[in-house]
Amino acid sequence: MNISLRRGERIFINGAVLKVDRKVCLELLNDVTFLLESHVMQAEAATTPLKRLYFIIQTMLMSPNDCETALQLCREMFISLSSSAHDPRIMEGLRTAVRNIEDKKMFEALKAVRGLFPVEAELMASEPEGAREVA
């Protein structure tokens, strides 16, 4: 797999953080877990239930050797979201994310959750001001 990075960009590979000082193309020759800086969510951006879930999964991907606490938080978040989510699109996306996490495919789990952000925004926009959770 080839990955192109711009000057100053970072990539997270198997828990290591690499920052390049010039435009570079990396060729990954084996099966690694990686996350591009453009897909990294900062803690302050995790402002909705699904964004918090994304942040937790991201933590597990970025620190694969130290993810027991994040995995427990992830389980709790799935339980909470499953009990409060009534939209079938959210439920199906959560099931997909769970399967990916069980298969240790964290990047795929992130993609599944990230794909739910527009649905969550749509649902939150249609709710009364006092009830701002995933429905």
Side-chain angles (χ1 to χ4, degrees), residues 20-49:
V20 297
D21 63 353
R22 64 185 66 100
K23 184 177 178 180
V24 66
C25 182
L26 298 175
E27 183 177 6
L28 303 177
L29 299 175
N30 62 344
D31 189 23
V32 298
T33 301
F34 70 93
L35 189 61
L36 297 172
E37 184 174 20
S38 61
H39 290 141
V40 174
M41 179 182 290
Q42 299 302 315
E44 59 272 6
T47 56
T48 67

Side-chain angles (χ1 to χ4, degrees), residues 9-79:
E9 196 170 13
R10 295 183 300 168
I11 185 170
F12 303 82
I13 301 176
N14 286 354
V17 182
L18 306 173
K19 182 177 179 181
V20 297
D21 63 353
R22 64 185 66 100
K23 184 177 178 180
V24 66
C25 182
L26 298 175
E27 183 177 6
L28 303 177
L29 299 175
N30 62 344
D31 189 23
V32 298
T33 301
F34 70 93
L35 189 61
L36 297 172
E37 184 174 20
S38 61
H39 290 141
V40 174
M41 179 182 290
Q42 299 302 315
E44 59 272 6
T47 56
T48 67
L50 287 174
K51 288 181 179 180
R52 286 191 290 275
L53 177 61
Y54 183 96
F55 186 80
I56 293 166
I57 297 169
Q58 168 188 289
T59 301
M60 293 185 324
L61 188 144
M62 292 171 68
S63 300
N65 297 327
D66 184 32
C67 67
E68 233 5 84
T69 302
L71 186 57
Q72 183 57 37
L73 284 171
C74 190
R75 287 183 185 121
E76 292 169 10
M77 195 67 162
F78 275 123
I79 291 168

Side-chain angles (χ1 to χ4, degrees), residues 93-109:
L94 290 175
R95 282 191 288 275
T96 299
V98 167
R99 281 192 304 273
N100 285 318
I101 290 171
E102 288 171 351
D103 293 340
K104 307 251 187 277
K105 296 179 180 178
M106 299 306 176
F107 187 77
E108 294 301 319

Side-chain angles (χ1 to χ4, degrees), residues 85-122:
H86 305 293
D87 188 283
R89 298 169 292 177
I90 299 284
M91 294 304 296
E92 182 55 34
L94 290 175
R95 282 191 288 275
T96 299
V98 167
R99 281 192 304 273
N100 285 318
I101 290 171
E102 288 171 351
D103 293 340
K104 307 251 187 277
K105 296 179 180 178
M106 299 306 176
F107 187 77
E108 294 301 319
L110 284 177
K111 280 178 32 179
V113 173
R114 190 172 51 242
L116 297 173
F117 290 170
V119 177
E120 180 181 46
E122 171 192 322

